[in-house]
Amino acid sequence: MALLDIEGLSVRFQTSSGLFAAVEDVDIRVDRGEVWSIVGESGSGKSVSMLATMGLLPWTAQVTADRMEFDGRDLQQLSARERRRIVGGEMSMIFQEPMTSLNPCFTVGTQIDEMIKQHKGGNRKERHERALDLLAQVGIPDPARRIKAYPHQLSGGMSQRVMIAMAISCDPRLLIADEPTTALDVTIQAQILELLLKLQEETGMALILITHDMGVVAETARNVIVQYAGRQVEKQAVKSLFASPRHPYTEALLSALPERASGQDRLPTIPGVVPGQHDRPTGCLFNPRCQYVTEHCREVAPVASPGDPARTLCHYPLGSPGDATTPDDVSPGDLPPAPSDSDASQSEVRP
Amino acid sequence: MVREAALTAASRPRVTSQTSNMLRFLLVKLAQLVPTFIGVTIVAFAFIRLLPGDPILLMAGERGISAARYAELQAQFGFDRPLVVQYWDFLKGLLQGDLGDSLVTHSPVTGEFFSRFPATLELSLFALAFAVIIGLPAGVLAATRRGKLLDHTVVGVSLTGYSMPIFWWGLLLIMFFSGTLGWTPVSGRISFMYFIDSVTGFMTIDTLLAGNWDAFLSALHHLVLPSIVLGTIPLAVIARQTRSSMLEVLGEDYVRTARAKGLSNFRVIMVHTLRNALISVVTVIGLQVGLLLAGAILTETIFSWPGIGKWMIDAISRRDYPSVQGGLVLIAFIVMIVNLLVDVAYGVINPRIRH
């Protein structure tokens, strides 16, 4: 049984001009201790799908899913009170803007303490000790002093460390990190990612890292979901994804990496932007920006082939399905095999 | 080891520097009051003299007065001297706590003012309590039920309350609750049946000090309508400010964090959201105090409330120069002190100001 098992997740927002589908038909299956990454441009619905899982979307959002389970419990059937016990306790989340994510009116200690009190209880002294331990664990120097600090006295990196300390304070089994480094300096970014991975290894919790940075994906995740315009377009283990992307969008993202563009004057980009509510094309959502586009793509929306382990949402996937490895093929703890020597366990080729 | 010692040493003076920060904050605020106060004295002094009408002619009444007697009285009150000299005398007296004597009663203005001020303060405090106790929860509820019926009701009712002329609203309430229903007294601070010695000047406190429970209830009874009338506009302002401030804070990232912690909705709203929303609401509540003292003039006239409002109206109609300028300066001074206290409260609520 997977820790987080989501199938057919859709999120629609009620707007003045009708319903807007921000996320459509997304499947996420995360096992204990796995590290996943969800990657895509702004507007691809990565944050929205995770906020929906946490139940943090505003009331204008309509969330539907064929299945939405955490540790075997159906999140859609739980009462608000039961769900609050999971959210924060067993499944916690950190956000993109650490500077605004902490309440400016309360000290760091109070905010950590509140979380522990809510889910773990214990007396004031125990909770204080725990908070000090947590601050030390996330690498904050002089925790005894910092615990009395207000958020405005902390830098962005420090704030994100505090957010992480808070998020792991109740020993969650799943941590969702929503672009945790986007607002930070490059040097701090690396430190925070390192910290997240270290904590993941130490505690054995599962980690879902939302990012738009393929570089971050390469450094951190084992498995990747690529989202585009609210759709999941591809899902692969990280090594095979980098070696042989199946979706033209993934390929375009990868070729925009500076490391892969050596010898060229200009960094390749993907022309255009993610379609919004009013300019969604017919057929494949990526067709206006795809270099392989055909008439068929403009008319018919693609569906993933059941034989494709990467579940590529494309009429003409790149490479062969045998090149793709899915997380399910990889035993936890092993590195995903390189594409050249991948054991193509699901080598069923599409007709 | 050396580094640790350095850290502890560094953290100690930090505490004192925080206290001195607060002290410096207070001193700066106090220093800023000085020019404001001087401006107020000029305005108060000039305002009553700019009004047409002459106190001596008004005193003489319809029988008129001879030119010689007029000049004599002018000299007696010092009105024959240049305005600058008169102003300088006023300022000198003010610094010594002497605001002169009333032209009408010939008793010191400060005494007249402070014998009536508790009545106004009592009314204003009850009005403010009414406004906060109803307005704050109404604003919070409206914000949490945004776009629903309750929200529209709160917004609509507070707009009506804000736009209503106080005297008209007061008369309506008197007609309905005192006249038609006979539930509340029409005027005054307490029933004529009770004679209460003035200790604090607050009728509710004095009746309790006298141990007269019935008189206390009578005093409360007399406070109901005037407090509602005086508190209506502050209520509307507080409700609207609370609502918009709550809505703004509800969209903040840290409220989402609070929800992500699995806290109850009540705790998210009442602790994480309200605490931050209060920062701007407290400022608005402080500003209402000035409006209450000013608004009390109308309310006191309608309800024959023996406070400074009614006293000021009488003084203005008699062109009682010392009473009007002295009263204005004292009211302005009290408002300034209240605003200073609001600034301090603001620092207590908002840690970003304190540090």
Side-chain angles (χ1 to χ4, degrees), chain B residues 25-142:
Chain B
F25 171 77
L26 267 179
L27 285 177
V28 167
K29 285 282 168 195
L30 272 173
Q32 285 169 348
L33 288 186
V34 174
T36 318
F37 191 68
I38 292 174
V40 164
T41 59
I42 295 173
V43 171
F45 180 83
F47 157 73
I48 186 67
R49 284 168 176 79
L50 285 172
L51 284 184
D54 183 306
I56 297 171
L57 289 179
L58 279 169
M59 255 187 258
E62 287 175 3
R63 286 169 299 150
I65 191 170
S66 71
R69 178 73 183 137
Y70 181 83
E72 194 185 317
L73 281 173
Q74 271 217 315
Q76 185 191 327
F77 294 126
F79 295 154
D80 55 343
R81 295 172 304 158
L83 278 180
V84 181
V85 177
Q86 290 186 44
Y87 174 70
W88 181 243
D89 274 359
F90 167 56
L91 213 55
K92 261 198 315 198
L94 183 66
L95 289 178
Q96 293 161 7
D98 176 16
L99 287 168
D101 295 342
S102 160
L103 297 183
V104 180
T105 62
H106 304 292
S107 54
V109 169
T110 39
E112 299 239 320
F113 182 90
F114 284 109
S115 67
R116 288 170 174 84
F117 184 65
T120 300
L121 189 61
E122 186 176 36
L123 174 58
S124 298
L125 287 179
F126 273 85
L128 190 65
F130 164 73
V132 171
I133 290 170
I134 309 278
L136 207 60
V140 171
L141 281 176

Side-chain angles (χ1 to χ4, degrees), chain A residues 284-328:
Chain A
C284 174
L285 287 174
F286 187 57
N287 84 64
R289 307 172 72 188
C290 183
Q291 58 169 324
Y292 307 111
V293 64
T294 66
E295 220 29 65
H296 186 54
C297 298
R298 295 201 177 92
E299 280 156 14
V300 184
V303 281
S305 147
D308 179 8
R311 310 283 297 158
T312 316
L313 204 64
C314 182
H315 292 299
Y316 313 105
L318 308 166
S320 75
D323 294 340
T325 48
T326 62
D328 303 331

Side-chain angles (χ1 to χ4, degrees), chain B residues 194-213:
Chain B
Y194 305 104
F195 297 95
I196 303 295
D197 289 330
S198 177
V199 182
T200 59
F202 289 84
M203 201 58 94
T204 43
I205 297 177
D206 287 347
T207 50
L208 285 180
L209 286 178
N212 193 333
W213 185 249

Side-chain angles (χ1 to χ4, degrees), chain A residues 31-290:
Chain A
D31 277 317
R32 287 174 182 74
E34 279 187 340
V35 181
W36 278 78
S37 184
I38 304 178
V39 71
E41 282 167 276
S42 304
S44 58
K46 357 180 248 303
S47 298
V48 172
S49 50
M50 283 300 104
L51 288 171
T53 309
M54 290 283 286
L56 296 178
L57 289 171
W59 59 275
T60 45
Q62 298 174 6
V63 180
T64 54
D66 300 332
R67 191 210 303 268
M68 200 176 190
E69 288 180 1
F70 182 81
D71 199 25
R73 280 163 293 177
D74 187 348
L75 293 175
Q76 294 179 101
Q77 296 298 319
L78 292 179
S79 70
R81 183 184 289 265
E82 288 168 325
R83 192 159 180 184
R84 279 203 298 270
R85 219 168 285 152
I86 295 179
V87 168
E90 296 177 59
M91 171 164 76
S92 62
M93 186 161 180
I94 60 172
F95 303 97
Q96 187 171 350
E97 295 285 347
M99 301 286 272
T100 55
S101 292
L102 289 166
N103 193 321
C105 279
F106 301 104
T107 61
V108 163
T110 312
Q111 298 191 52
I112 298 177
D113 181 82
E114 182 183 36
M115 179 106 163
I116 304 173
K117 193 175 171 189
Q118 178 79 22
H119 296 283
K120 295 256 163 180
N123 65 39
R124 183 184 290 264
K125 193 167 171 292
E126 288 164 3
R127 296 199 306 262
H128 184 77
E129 291 297 317
R130 171 83 177 134
L132 285 175
D133 285 349
L134 284 163
L135 289 179
Q137 202 181 349
V138 297
I140 289 180
D142 198 1
R145 191 158 73 88
R146 290 293 180 188
I147 200 166
K148 292 183 216 131
Y150 284 92
H152 70 272
Q153 297 168 316
L154 302 175
S155 65
M158 280 294 162
S159 299
Q160 195 62 291
R161 284 176 197 270
V162 170
M163 284 296 291
I164 294 171
M166 203 154 78
I168 63 165
S169 64
C170 300
D171 306 313
R173 289 193 284 166
L174 171 64
L175 175 65
I176 301 169
D178 184 0
E179 305 212 25
T181 59
T182 306
L184 304 174
D185 291 343
V186 180
T187 49
I188 310 292
Q189 284 185 8
Q191 292 176 10
I192 294 288
L193 287 175
E194 220 167 88
L195 172 66
L196 282 173
L197 290 176
K198 187 193 89 174
L199 291 170
Q200 189 274 329
E201 238 163 63
E202 285 172 6
T203 63
M205 65 184 175
L207 177 65
I208 298 178
L209 188 71
I210 302 173
T211 181
H212 61 246
D213 186 342
M214 272 294 187
V216 169
V217 174
E219 282 167 35
T220 54
R222 294 273 173 77
N223 315 300
V224 189
I225 290 170
V226 183
Q227 277 193 208
Y228 182 79
R231 292 284 190 146
Q232 190 172 316
V233 296
E234 167 161 17
K235 173 159 85 172
Q236 282 214 64
V238 68
K239 281 216 167 171
S240 59
L241 181 101
F242 273 75
S244 59
R246 297 274 289 153
H247 197 280
Y249 177 59
T250 317
E251 185 197 51
L253 281 180
L254 289 172
S255 59
L257 280 175
E259 300 88 320
R260 299 198 168 205
S262 54
Q264 293 176 40
D265 286 346
R266 283 175 163 272
L267 210 55
T269 57
I270 310 174
V273 291
V274 180
Q277 181 183 2
H278 302 291
D279 52 0
R280 289 236 163 136
T282 56
C284 174
L285 287 174
F286 187 57
N287 84 64
R289 307 172 72 188
C290 183

